[in-house]
């Protein structure tokens, strides 16, 4: 009889700890969501402002700080990574945005939207040669990604225009050879 009470006592302790652990996890998730929401409010306030406004820079910096804190506490938070990428895009800090998306991809390598986001950052940085493979990867993960298909065509067009501009600025003589004058 004593052994049954011992088992029941242990079972009750385990259940209490499980409930407490679940409640803590739930509270942590609610806190994380609230912090992300707070960062997005700052982001929303900053977005319509003049890009050179110091108040805009401060709001984006505060948003960045909150999201970095969320990621420090929960490195697997893809939501925080995605939002932070948006903040860096608004800040025009493409290097940090690229690093953020590269890390997010390690967390969820099967998510084509992360590869598209990384391609967007490369595009904004003018690194088209890196954007195309990211879009190819997104399409390999989900061939129905219309955004990736259209965006890839847009970047290929930019590359063609860039190549045409370079060819136009390099005059050739009548034989098709570069002018050496």
């Amino acid at each position: 009889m004593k052994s049954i009470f011992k088992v029941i006592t242990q079972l009750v302790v385990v259940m209490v700890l499980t409930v407490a652990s679940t409640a803590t996890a739930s509270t942590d998730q609610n806190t994380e969501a609230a912090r992300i929401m707070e960062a997005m409010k700052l982001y929303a306030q900053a977005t319509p402002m003049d890009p050179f406004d110091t108040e805009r820079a401060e709001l984006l910096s505060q948003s960045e700080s909150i999201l970095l804190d969320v990621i420090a506490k929960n490195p697997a938070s893809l939501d925080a990574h995605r939002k932070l990428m948006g903040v860096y895009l608004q800040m025009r800090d493409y290097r940090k945005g690229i690093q953020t998306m590269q890390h997010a991809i390690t967390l969820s390598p099967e998510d084509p939207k992360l590869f598209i986001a990384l391609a967007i950052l490369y595009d904004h940085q003018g690194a088209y040669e890196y954007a195309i493979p990211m879009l190819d990867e997104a399409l390999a993960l989900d061939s129905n990604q219309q955004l990736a298909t259209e965006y890839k065509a847009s970047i290929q067009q930019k590359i063609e225009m860039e190549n045409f501009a370079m060819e136009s600025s390099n005059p050739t003589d009548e034989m098709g050879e570069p002018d050496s004058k």
Side-chain angles (χ1 to χ4, degrees):
M1 191 72 164
K2 282 186 177 182
S3 66
I4 290 178
F5 285 119
K6 205 174 194 181
V7 170
I8 291 173
T9 304
Q10 289 175 343
L11 183 61
V12 169
V13 168
V14 168
M15 290 176 64
V16 167
L17 290 175
T18 302
V19 169
S21 168
T22 303
T24 302
S26 179
T27 301
D28 288 348
Q29 288 174 342
N30 289 339
T31 302
E32 179 179 307
R35 296 284 289 156
I36 291 172
M37 184 66 85
E38 178 185 354
M40 289 302 87
K41 285 181 184 174
L42 295 167
Y43 174 89
Q45 289 174 358
T47 300
M49 293 180 168
D50 182 276
F52 302 105
D53 188 330
T54 56
E55 183 182 356
R56 178 182 193 270
E58 181 57 34
L59 290 169
L60 290 172
S61 179
Q62 289 173 14
S63 183
E64 173 193 27
S65 179
I66 291 167
L67 292 167
L68 286 172
D69 183 55
V70 168
I71 292 169
K73 290 178 179 159
N74 180 8
S77 174
L78 283 175
D79 193 30
H81 280 83
R82 286 185 180 107
K83 304 291 196 272
L84 184 57
M85 184 277 297
V87 169
Y88 287 139
L89 192 58
Q90 286 295 316
M91 294 170 90
R92 296 183 179 166
D93 192 339
Y94 306 124
R95 184 185 58 79
K96 285 184 180 178
I98 288 167
Q99 289 172 340
T100 299
M101 282 297 94
Q102 288 172 333
H103 184 257
I105 287 170
T106 66
L107 298 172
S108 184
E110 71 289 342
D111 186 344
K113 292 177 183 174
L114 296 176
F115 288 94
I116 295 169
L118 184 54
I120 290 168
L121 288 160
Y122 282 135
D123 176 30
H124 281 272
Q125 195 177 42
Y128 309 128
E129 67 279 8
Y130 294 109
I132 295 288
M134 294 302 105
L135 294 168
D136 287 339
E137 185 63 31
L139 289 166
L141 291 168
D142 180 1
S143 59
N144 295 322
Q145 273 290 340
Q146 189 64 29
L147 177 60
T149 302
E150 292 172 6
Y151 204 60
K152 182 178 176 182
S154 170
I155 290 177
Q156 287 172 326
Q157 191 174 35
K158 288 179 184 182
I159 291 170
E160 289 172 15
M161 289 182 356
E162 199 174 73
N163 289 341
F164 180 74
M166 288 174 55
E167 290 171 6
S168 296
S169 66
N170 188 11
T172 57
D173 66 14
E174 293 172 12
M175 299 295 290
E177 299 293 321
D179 191 8
S180 58
K181 294 178 187 174

